[in-house]
């Protein structure tokens, strides 16, 4: 069955450093992959979408890579700030389908 | 622009009772989705409306769950009768078009069944 793996343990990093979160998936070939941010008591907020034919995508301090051979996406936040502290959800999805399939998320804590 | 709103924010009911959750999508969004997060698990898809029609209800757990979207605007999700395992956070999301458009999520309704 399809499986999405994110490190469910919290990731603690020092302010100013680059945070790197990993998303691995198995048993399917997503046409695109999304990353969402979720704060406590809130719904997920869309951050970035990368398609299978794109290797890398950037938005301000965010960078996402998508390696379809390794079946892995990496999510980077450069110059991290305490305000970046949140849970980040990976969502690889097959083309043509509307529903979002989420990983369990990785909690990021940026320490001042 | 108003975001997706959900009501109530929190509901506590006893096993066997009925609860109705409401979602108001962003105006003009034809696509409306329901998701659920059970404690310790991933957020999982329940169903998808396109306007008033159910496009995909493959994630609905069983026939105790009934979703409606009359008139293609707001949607309700009724659980009747509620069971303990129905506890969790129910999210609603909406999007403008088909394809991999970003979905805008509401704050969720936390349902506790005792």
């Amino acid at each position: 069955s399809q499986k999405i793996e994110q490190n469910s343990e919290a990731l603690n990093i020092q302010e100013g450093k680059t945070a790197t979160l990993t998303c691995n998936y198995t048993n399917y070939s997503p046409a695109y992959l999304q990353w969402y941010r979720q704060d406590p008591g809130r719904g997920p907020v869309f951050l970035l979408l990368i398609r299978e034919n794109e290797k890398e995508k950037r938005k301000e301090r965010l960078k996402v890579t998508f390696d379809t051979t390794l079946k892995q996406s990496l999510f980077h936040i450069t110059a991290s700030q305490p305000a970046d502290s949140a849970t980040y959800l990976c969502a690889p999805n097959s083309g043509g389908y509307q529903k979002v399939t989420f990983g369990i998320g990785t909690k990021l804590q940026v320490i001042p | 622009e108003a975001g997706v709103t959900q009501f109530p924010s929190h509901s506590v009911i006893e096993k066997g009772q009925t609860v109705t959750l409401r979602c108001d999508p962003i105006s003009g969004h034809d696509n409306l989705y329901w998701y659920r997060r059970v404690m310790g698990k991933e957020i999982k898809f329940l169903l998808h409306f396109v306007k008033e029609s159910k496009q995909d209800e493959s994630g609905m757990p069983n026939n105790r769950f009934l979703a409606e979207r009359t008139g293609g605007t707001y949607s309700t999700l009724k659980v009747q009768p509620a069971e303990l395992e129905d506890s969790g956070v129910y999210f609603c999301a909406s999007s403008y078009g088909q394809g991999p458009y970003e979905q805008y999520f509401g704050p969720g309704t936390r349902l506790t069944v005792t």
Side-chain angles (χ1 to χ4, degrees), chain A residues 37-102:
Chain A
R37 167 183 174 143
Q38 187 174 23
D39 291 281
R42 303 277 186 109
V45 174
F46 171 82
L47 295 175
L48 279 168
L49 180 150
I50 185 168
R51 300 178 189 274
E52 61 180 339
N53 60 349
E54 299 174 312
K55 296 297 181 187
E56 180 181 299
K57 202 151 193 184
R58 294 174 184 262
K59 179 182 176 183
E60 298 173 350
R61 294 184 296 111
L62 309 180
K63 184 179 87 171
V64 171
T65 63
F66 191 10
D67 189 324
T68 56
T69 302
L70 290 179
K71 294 187 180 294
Q72 181 182 79
S73 176
L74 298 178
F75 177 82
H76 306 272
I77 305 175
T78 58
S80 59
Q81 304 166 0
D84 295 327
S85 299
T87 296
Y88 291 86
L89 308 170
C90 165
N93 286 292
S94 301
Y97 292 93
Q98 308 305 310
K99 62 187 178 185
V100 180
T101 305
F102 288 100

Side-chain angles (χ1 to χ4, degrees), chain B residues 103-114:
Chain B
Q103 294 184 15
Y104 296 84
F105 282 76
T109 292
R110 180 174 293 278
L111 175 64
T112 304
V113 183
T114 62

Side-chain angles (χ1 to χ4, degrees), chain B residues 29-32 49-54 69-73:
Chain B
H29 282 192
D30 288 340
N31 295 274
L32 186 149
F49 284 99
V50 178
K51 297 185 180 179
E52 66 274 9
S53 300
K54 291 175 185 174
R69 192 183 182 195
T70 307
T73 54

